[in-house]
Amino acid sequence: MILLNALLKNGSLPSAFWSFIKIQLMNISFVDIIDILVLSFVLYFAVKFLHVRRAGKLIFGVSLWIAFLAVSRLVGLYAVSYILNYFLQAGIIAIVVLFQPELRELLEKMGTEPLKGIRSFSGSKTDEKPILVDNICEAVVEMSRTKTGALIVIERSMPVGDIIRSGVEMDAKISPYLLRNIFFDGSPLHDGAVVIRDMRIASAGCLLPLTRRGDVDLDLGTRHRAAIGMSEVSDAVIIVVSEETGTISVACENDFTRNFTNQTLSAKLTQLLSSVIAESSSKSSRHGRHSRASSSKKV
């Protein structure tokens, strides 16, 4: 500020302003650039994360509170400024308590998103249409035709072990007939969700958390709300078949899309599950090499 005042004394406002900017840019170091990039990344990730959550409205309210505090100090409303500042200091603890689920979810996603980015950058994708996608699509399309309600969770990079343990563990090979049998109306497990891990049915009859969002369409039932809620706390891919209309929907990372067909569902799953398929193929190849090595030793 002192430097800007000195420049104003020696010239006009535009020239002084650009001289001030030039001097500031010349003083920027490499560490300052890294600092700005890291802060920008954190702010972008936080804004993107809170955009579709109730916490976004709370953040807006806190921002208004801080704005009122700044205006009251600027105008000279000392009593109002004192009260607002007092409640703001005491409200920091309340904010942490209110945002506890969102903060935990944010830290979990920050731990998995960079790993997913590195995996995708390294080119761990496959062009081969996986059997996993074919089997799921065949079962889902048939259940859609018969209007059989279904809820399928496909684990990706973030483990969902607590969800698996809430149901009946199976560890079964994925089959369209088995999936349809699980969600058959007379099955004892048809009300819960099926969780797929490592291209196998890990558990059935699982309980999913319902969404905390207040802007969800009122026409959506419990299955759809559970799918959205699961997408809020994990990076899993969740497929829903409506029992009333037979509509196929997919929820993933707070994105909820409806009205899939066999072709569009296959393309969507192939895109979302590329890393899962590549990792599973890598595990299978390692297991195959290990089995061959063991067989050769026995011989």
Side-chain angles (χ1 to χ4, degrees):
M1 205 65 189
I2 298 175
L3 177 61
L4 182 60
N5 292 331
L7 291 172
L8 285 174
K9 292 180 180 180
N10 298 327
S12 61
L13 180 60
S15 60
F17 174 77
W18 289 114
S19 299
F20 177 75
I21 295 297
K22 183 179 179 181
I23 293 173
Q24 295 300 316
L25 291 176
M26 292 175 62
N27 291 331
I28 293 179
S29 64
F30 178 75
V31 176
D32 296 329
I33 296 176
I34 298 297
D35 190 20
I36 294 173
L37 291 177
V38 171
L39 181 59
S40 301
F41 169 77
V42 171
L43 291 177
Y44 169 77
F45 194 90
V47 171
K48 180 181 177 182
F49 179 82
L50 297 173
H51 178 66
V52 294
R53 290 168 170 78
R54 292 187 302 172
K57 299 178 181 179
L58 295 176
I59 289 290
F60 180 73
V62 173
S63 301
L64 284 179
W65 190 283
I66 296 175
F68 288 147
L69 175 61
V71 171
S72 63
R73 287 182 175 179
L74 184 64
V75 175
L77 303 176
Y78 299 108
V80 175
S81 175
Y82 175 79
I83 294 174
L84 292 176
N85 186 55
Y86 175 79
F87 279 105
L88 182 62
Q89 293 177 359
I92 292 178
I93 299 177
I95 290 173
V96 173
V97 174
L98 289 173
F99 289 177
Q100 188 270 335
E102 284 77 12
L103 290 173
R104 177 179 177 180
E105 183 183 348
L106 175 63
L107 293 175
E108 289 177 347
K109 284 187 173 291
M110 287 183 67
T112 56
E113 288 291 337
L115 296 178
K116 288 166 55 183
I118 293 173
R119 188 183 298 123
S120 61
F121 179 77
S122 62
S124 58
K125 295 184 178 181
T126 177
D127 296 329
E128 182 182 358
K129 192 175 181 182
I131 300 177
L132 168 68
V133 173
D134 287 340
N135 288 339
I136 292 176
C137 287
E138 181 180 342
V140 168
V141 170
E142 180 60 25
M143 288 188 289
S144 172
R145 187 185 66 81
T146 58
K147 294 185 179 180
T148 302
L151 186 58
I152 302 174
V153 178
I154 307 174
E155 182 188 74
R156 294 202 293 177
S157 63
M158 186 182 297
V160 291
D162 54 337
I163 302 297
I164 292 176
R165 288 188 293 271
S166 69
V168 178
E169 297 189 26
M170 300 181 64
D171 190 24
K173 183 179 179 181
I174 297 175
S175 166
Y177 302 103
L178 179 57
L179 287 174
R180 288 164 52 192
N181 191 54
I182 291 174
F183 291 110
F184 178 70
D185 188 48
S187 170
L189 302 175
H190 77 281
D191 280 335
V194 163
V195 179
I196 295 176
R197 166 184 282 180
D198 294 334
M199 300 182 70
R200 294 180 65 84
I201 299 177
S203 186
C206 301
L207 303 177
L208 304 186
L210 298 180
T211 179
R212 301 186 297 270
R213 289 167 52 183
D215 58 343
V216 177
D217 191 347
L218 296 178
D219 294 333
L220 298 179
T222 304
R223 281 192 180 93
H224 296 83
R225 293 177 180 272
I228 297 174
M230 189 65 188
S231 71
E232 292 175 346
V233 299
S234 73
D235 67 341
V237 178
I238 306 99
I239 306 171
V240 190
V241 179
S242 173
E243 189 174 358
E244 289 76 19
T245 63
T247 302
I248 302 173
S249 307
V250 175
C252 183
E253 297 182 338
N254 298 294
D255 178 43
F256 185 75
T257 310
R258 307 180 69 182
N259 300 316
F260 279 91
T261 63
N262 187 17
Q263 291 75 20
T264 57
L265 179 62
S266 177
K268 185 71 171 179
L269 294 182
T270 302
Q271 173 194 353
L272 294 175
L273 301 177
S274 59
S275 60
V276 176
I277 296 163
E279 184 176 352
S280 179
S281 300
S282 176
K283 288 182 179 179
S284 299
S285 62
R286 289 198 301 268
H287 179 71
R289 289 195 299 268
H290 178 72
S291 300
R292 288 193 298 271
S294 300
S295 300
S296 62
K297 288 180 180 179
K298 290 179 181 180
V299 174

